[in-house]
Amino acid sequence: MTSSLPEQWWNQLSLPVISAPMFLISGPELVKECCLNGVIGSFPAPNARPIEVLDQWMGDINDTLIAAKDKEPGSKIAPWAMNMVVHRTYSRLEEELELVKKHQPPIVITSLGSPKHVVDVVHSYGGLVFSDVSSVDFAKKLRSQVWTD
Ligand SMILES: Cc1cc2nc3c(=O)[nH]c(=O)nc-3n(C[C@H](O)[C@H](O)[C@H](O)COP(=O)(O)O)c2cc1C
């Protein structure tokens, strides 16, 4: 996996592992502990409700990881990831995208649809998008960039 991550992250990882986003389970405490121990931590954005809570979680994760790096610049601190539902019926997508612009998660993992609305925003600040799909057919669709919904 490290070969698909930017080089500056390689030595920030103790293991090339993402702690998977889990609905109703993963939150900022788990994400911070993962990252502070050199494993990519992630959480599903819908776990933070209402939207104001998402703003707080993203700010808290960034503040904690930046403070830890300032305190010990040589420590391994992995980047964090936010998992976004990108299905067209998901009502909070625009509001969550505004928070992505504000807090700039280094990695966004998209689920349940085309990542097309997310990619430009995340790439604009140098972040990465991992598009999680449930079948080989969806993966092929993404690879050929024909996903239009
Ligand atoms: C309790 C639970 C909740 C999950 N919730 C999400 C989720 O909200 N979003 C998501 O993209 N994947 C979710 N997943 C899937 C995981 O992110 C992961 O892809 C899956 O568990 C496969 O990895 P594993 O083989 O290491 O378990 C969930 C998995 C579990 C076990």
Side-chain angles (χ1 to χ4, degrees):
M1 186 194 79
T2 45
S3 62
S4 60
L5 288 176
E7 215 171 309
Q8 74 267 20
W9 287 348
W10 294 358
N11 64 358
Q12 297 302 313
L13 302 179
S14 308
L15 288 171
V17 164
I18 298 176
S19 166
M22 291 174 282
F23 186 54
L24 301 181
I25 295 175
S26 319
E29 298 310 317
L30 179 60
V31 172
K32 290 184 288 185
E33 284 306 314
C34 288
C35 297
L36 292 172
N37 287 283
V39 167
I40 298 171
S42 72
F43 72 96
N47 280 4
R49 282 170 278 173
I51 192 81
E52 291 75 18
V53 173
L54 184 61
D55 193 12
Q56 288 163 16
W57 283 14
M58 296 171 85
D60 174 37
I61 292 167
N62 271 338
D63 290 349
T64 302
L65 300 185
I66 290 166
K69 196 70 182 168
D70 285 348
K71 199 171 165 200
E72 280 185 64
S75 57
K76 285 187 194 296
I77 298 180
W80 59 284
M82 188 164 87
N83 175 216
M84 297 180 75
V85 173
V86 290
H87 194 267
R88 61 188 175 281
T89 58
Y90 183 58
S91 60
R92 258 185 23 173
L93 184 59
E94 287 308 317
E95 286 174 290
E96 289 184 4
L97 272 175
E98 287 307 309
L99 293 178
V100 166
K101 287 178 197 163
K102 177 178 174 186
H103 296 288
Q104 306 190 350
I107 300 169
V108 170
I109 302 169
T110 62
S111 301
L112 302 177
S114 166
K116 68 176 181 175
H117 298 295
V118 172
V119 169
D120 286 347
V121 171
V122 178
H123 284 182
S124 71
Y125 61 80
L128 292 186
V129 177
F130 292 175
S131 179
D132 195 7
V133 290
S134 55
S135 72
V136 173
D137 280 348
F138 282 135
K140 285 180 179 163
K141 221 171 164 182
L142 279 167
R143 196 155 183 219
S144 56
Q145 299 187 328
V146 295
W147 207 334
T148 51
D149 50 294

